[in-house]
Amino acid sequence: MTKITYREAVRIGLREALQRDPRVFLMGEDVGKYGGTYACSKGFLDEFGPERIRDTPLSESTFVGAGIGAALGGMRPIVEVMTVNFSLLALDQILNNAATLRHMSGGQFSVSLVVRMATGAGRQVAAQHSHSLEGWYAHIPGITVLTPATVTDARGMLLTALHEPDPVFIFEHAYLYSIEGELEEGPPAVDISRAAVRRTGKDVSLMTFGGSVWKALAAAAQLAHEGIEAEVVDLRVLRPLDTGAILASVQKTHRAVVIDEAWRTGSFAAEIAAQIMEGAFYDLDAPVARVCSEEVPIPYPKHLEDAALPQPEKIVRAVHRLLGRG
Amino acid sequence: MTYSMPREQGLQLLRHMLRIRRFEERAAELYQLGKIRGFLHLYIGEEAVAVGSIPSFTSEDAIVATYREHGHALVRGTSMGTLMAELYGKATGCASGRGGSMHFFDASRRFYGGLAIVAGGLPVAVGLALADKLQGRARVTGCYFGDGAVAEGEFHESLNLAALWKLPVLFLCENNLYAMGTALARHQSQTDIAAKAQAYALPAETVDGMDPLAVETATRHAVEFVRNGNGPYFLEYRTYRFRAHSMYDAELYRTKDEVAEWKRRDPIMTFEQTLRTARLLADTDLQNIETEIATEIEDAVAFAEASSWEPVEQLTKNVCTPKT
Ligand SMILES: Cc1ncc(C[n+]2csc(CCOP(=O)(O)OP(=O)(O)O)c2C)c(N)n1
Ligand SMILES: [Mg+2]
């Protein structure tokens, strides 16, 4: 096993994808000459040339729409939207075209498009640059929503996604790019249908995804010192959701805390709680708890940003409450 | 540059350009020290645009700017102390610290941000102008944005609507030739930005954005045109950013020679020379200005340092307007 950064993992995945299939090309803002906003495609312009590494104008709606068209025309585009915050300008193309074309055409057309974007808060870049909207995207039928949290997933999910016939959205938490991890052995393409248990435990299930996986693991480590064994379930795929894995974990631990960096109201965490209620209500020893962001646009100062977001201590407190130790 | 302005006004232009330059140089140092975090987009090199244009607006007019707005807010008159406090994220900042560098706001000066979604301010400016028109007020809305914004749909939609409805808005494009790392010619089929505006039947002009006098003259005329009920107007200022896009980038997209070439046209250096040639600026004048500014900056930093953090208990304050 080798230790690499998440950024490097994304890079490796992208390079492999470009090398394997001549139909694959990368387009987005500053992916070429600038080297990628998060340096994920540095050097690619020289390596693969401007036909396949395409810098686009600041036109999110149009270049995502062009990705849809190129996919319809037989290519395998990887569209990079700089961050989820700017994907809002492309929401019309995503929701009204990418997600619906197959259905509206009675199954005649499939949009084999992969869209990657950075997501999440935690870097003091204030309200317009700190959104966590992958839960919104998971609301949409017709697309797959992936949230790689590990270097193995960051590299491998992209490769699997490129084999999907329908649109796949990959959310890379901006905080993760500089985090190091072990790249697991095995075929590069990874499964994208199942959740993964990142730590096993019997007392409580911590259900989460993306950047919050690491916060949940930190909380689990802290809880272990107190003799509480927390299981950490990395959902990995928000749509289609691996409900079986969620229920199996709850059936074992009888308690669940869902951690989601989005705002609590209407969050993806609410969906998980509902799934547990529907499928494992009688297995529960306590109501499902949620640790989400506070109901406030993300503030700039560190102490307020920290207070607005899920943190390991908040997760630990939620577990204490569930176990009657609060 | 031929000089054609009363001495005091010329000195004021120089003073404001230096205020911006020194403020931002200090901000960059404070960033290295960790006092300022997040994104910090410096305006260094582009000062002549804000300095030459902002004074053409009256206090009744509205300004909408981008995340590269330190200079605009300073010239508009927001105190340096509250701006520095905002960069720190302190409660005394011009946005209570909630916004930071990219989100300066000042309602008392009708300064509507500090907006960080590229081209996101244009529709808002069109709406502000619509409100003025509907209420019969002879006010102007000035809307600043970069060359990158020209690629967004909102740019085209806003110009069209403003021209169609003859709204009192002045579009001010700060063309520094790059959108992050993408050169204008690499993202526009038509690089003549004024020509694009003309396609929407808007009078449009290109101005030397490194020359505060040229900026002043063009902007004053444009504001007058809009205020007189002739509908919108478009100015493209040709300028250049001397620093990285935000605090750091590898600058793989441009050569050192190109930057050096533009630095020879540094608006502060060249304007200082113009004033000297016209015998309107002596060494002592410059020293006095620099001393004044140094004091202003020291006071601003001291104010920011001494200011308190907003208590965490107030985290969800100002999400909604309190019901009375
Ligand atoms: C809609 C949107 N897409 C992408 C970004 C990321 N971004 C921030 S600034 C910038 C470049 C904008 O260039 P320009 O408009 O020329 O302004 P400048 O930075 O040169 O002042 C980009 C791509 C953003 N803020 N908003
Ligand atoms: Mg620019």
Side-chain angles (χ1 to χ4, degrees), chain B residues 21-228:
Chain B
R21 179 75 53 99
R22 302 286 176 255
F23 174 82
E24 290 202 324
E25 285 167 349
R26 189 58 185 273
E29 285 169 27
L30 291 163
Y31 195 93
Q32 314 288 355
L33 295 173
K35 298 280 186 184
I36 298 171
R37 304 301 306 273
F39 292 137
L40 183 69
H41 305 89
L42 300 181
Y43 195 53
I44 289 176
E46 307 185 35
E47 294 94 338
V49 177
V51 167
S53 62
I54 293 271
S56 296
F57 296 95
T58 70
S59 59
E60 292 290 290
D61 294 337
I63 303 293
V64 179
T66 70
Y67 49 87
R68 203 181 293 287
E69 86 291 31
H70 305 155
H72 308 75
L74 274 171
V75 183
R76 187 67 174 164
T78 307
S79 86
M80 195 183 275
T82 66
L83 298 181
M84 190 59 88
E86 189 59 36
L87 294 183
Y88 272 62
K90 295 289 183 83
T92 52
C94 65
S96 305
R98 295 294 178 120
S101 161
M102 298 188 288
H103 305 300
F104 284 176
F105 287 86
D106 186 347
S108 67
R109 291 179 177 76
R110 301 201 71 223
F111 194 85
Y112 290 90
L115 302 177
I117 301 300
V118 171
L122 280 95
V124 177
V126 167
L128 284 164
L130 174 62
D132 286 333
K133 177 154 180 157
L134 290 175
Q135 293 171 85
R137 293 185 292 233
R139 307 201 296 202
V140 176
T141 297
C143 180
Y144 292 85
F145 52 88
D147 47 296
V150 169
E152 294 283 9
E154 286 175 328
F155 169 89
H156 297 271
E157 295 169 24
S158 296
L159 261 58
N160 180 53
L161 197 60
L164 188 70
W165 290 352
K166 287 216 173 323
L167 301 178
V169 55
L170 174 54
F171 296 103
L172 308 145
C173 179
E174 304 183 289
N175 178 7
N176 60 11
L177 299 176
Y178 289 89
M180 256 175 78
T182 305
L184 184 67
R186 297 185 65 248
H187 73 82
Q188 290 300 304
S189 57
Q190 165 61 281
T191 54
D192 181 346
I193 295 176
K196 281 182 201 291
Q198 281 156 0
Y200 294 102
L202 242 81
E205 222 179 297
T206 300
V207 184
D208 179 359
M210 302 307 262
D211 174 0
L213 295 177
V215 171
E216 197 279 336
T217 307
T219 314
R220 190 157 32 82
H221 287 147
V223 169
E224 240 169 64
F225 177 94
V226 176
R227 197 181 308 286
N228 290 338

Side-chain angles (χ1 to χ4, degrees), chain A residues 9-273:
Chain A
V10 172
R11 240 179 109 66
I12 293 172
L14 282 169
R15 176 179 282 117
E16 283 166 342
L18 286 155
Q19 283 167 343
R20 280 172 184 208
D21 185 345
R23 296 172 306 164
V24 170
F25 68 97
L26 174 69
M27 73 173 155
E29 289 157 11
D30 287 306
V31 297
K33 206 132 189 160
Y34 191 85
T37 308
Y38 297 94
C40 291
S41 49
K42 205 165 160 184
F44 281 17
L45 182 59
D46 289 337
E47 189 176 343
F48 297 103
E51 286 288 303
R52 299 185 72 200
I53 306 296
R54 311 187 70 92
D55 275 322
T56 64
L58 277 151
S59 309
E60 289 81 2
S61 182
T62 294
F63 68 75
V64 171
I68 296 169
L72 289 170
M75 298 298 287
R76 301 302 317 235
I78 301 173
V79 173
E80 176 175 314
V81 178
M82 197 177 275
T83 74
V84 69
N85 311 286
F86 319 136
S87 76
L88 298 179
L89 283 82
L91 207 44
D92 170 57
Q93 287 297 326
I94 293 169
L95 182 51
N96 282 323
N97 285 343
T100 58
L101 278 171
R102 177 165 176 82
H103 177 82
M104 286 193 305
S105 67
Q108 297 179 80
F109 296 115
S110 296
V111 180
S112 51
L113 168 70
V114 174
V115 180
R116 298 171 40 243
M117 58 185 103
T119 185
R123 300 173 311 129
Q124 284 195 262
V125 290
Q128 292 185 327
H129 281 75
S130 300
H131 294 303
S132 294
L133 302 176
E134 45 278 27
W136 277 18
Y137 285 97
H139 181 63
I140 306 173
I143 67 173
T144 295
V145 176
L146 306 177
T147 55
T150 65
V151 296
T152 305
D153 278 354
R155 172 218 197 173
M157 280 182 160
L158 175 71
L159 300 170
T160 320
L162 285 164
H163 289 109
E164 289 289 306
D166 298 316
V168 180
F169 289 76
I170 305 180
F171 293 88
E172 299 162 3
H173 198 292
Y175 197 77
L176 294 179
Y177 286 116
S178 305
I179 303 285
E180 283 196 338
E182 303 276 357
L183 188 66
E184 289 164 29
E185 310 278 354
V190 299
D191 161 85
I192 57 166
S193 63
R194 261 181 264 285
V197 175
R198 300 291 180 200
R199 178 183 176 123
T200 54
K202 61 172 178 43
D203 298 324
V204 61
S205 301
L206 306 180
M207 312 266 181
T208 189
F209 55 92
S212 297
V213 168
W214 299 98
K215 292 181 175 176
L217 285 168
Q222 214 169 308
L223 289 163
H225 288 302
E226 308 167 15
I228 300 168
E229 291 179 33
E231 178 150 295
V232 176
V233 181
D234 173 4
L235 299 173
R236 297 177 70 246
V237 188
L238 303 193
R239 176 181 277 273
L241 192 59
D242 182 3
T243 308
I246 295 168
L247 299 183
S249 183
V250 173
Q251 278 150 4
K252 182 168 102 177
T253 64
H254 310 293
R255 294 177 188 87
V257 178
V258 191
I259 303 111
D260 181 352
E261 200 179 284
W263 296 296
R264 175 185 304 259
T265 306
S267 60
F268 195 72
E271 173 63 25
I272 303 297

Side-chain angles (χ1 to χ4, degrees), chain A residues 33-35 39 42, chain B residues 244-245 247-254 256:
Chain A
K33 206 132 189 160
Y34 191 85
K42 205 165 160 184
Chain B
H245 167 72
M247 271 309 284
Y248 313 100
D249 71 45
E251 298 198 45
L252 300 170
Y253 50 83
R254 61 184 189 184
K256 290 204 166 62

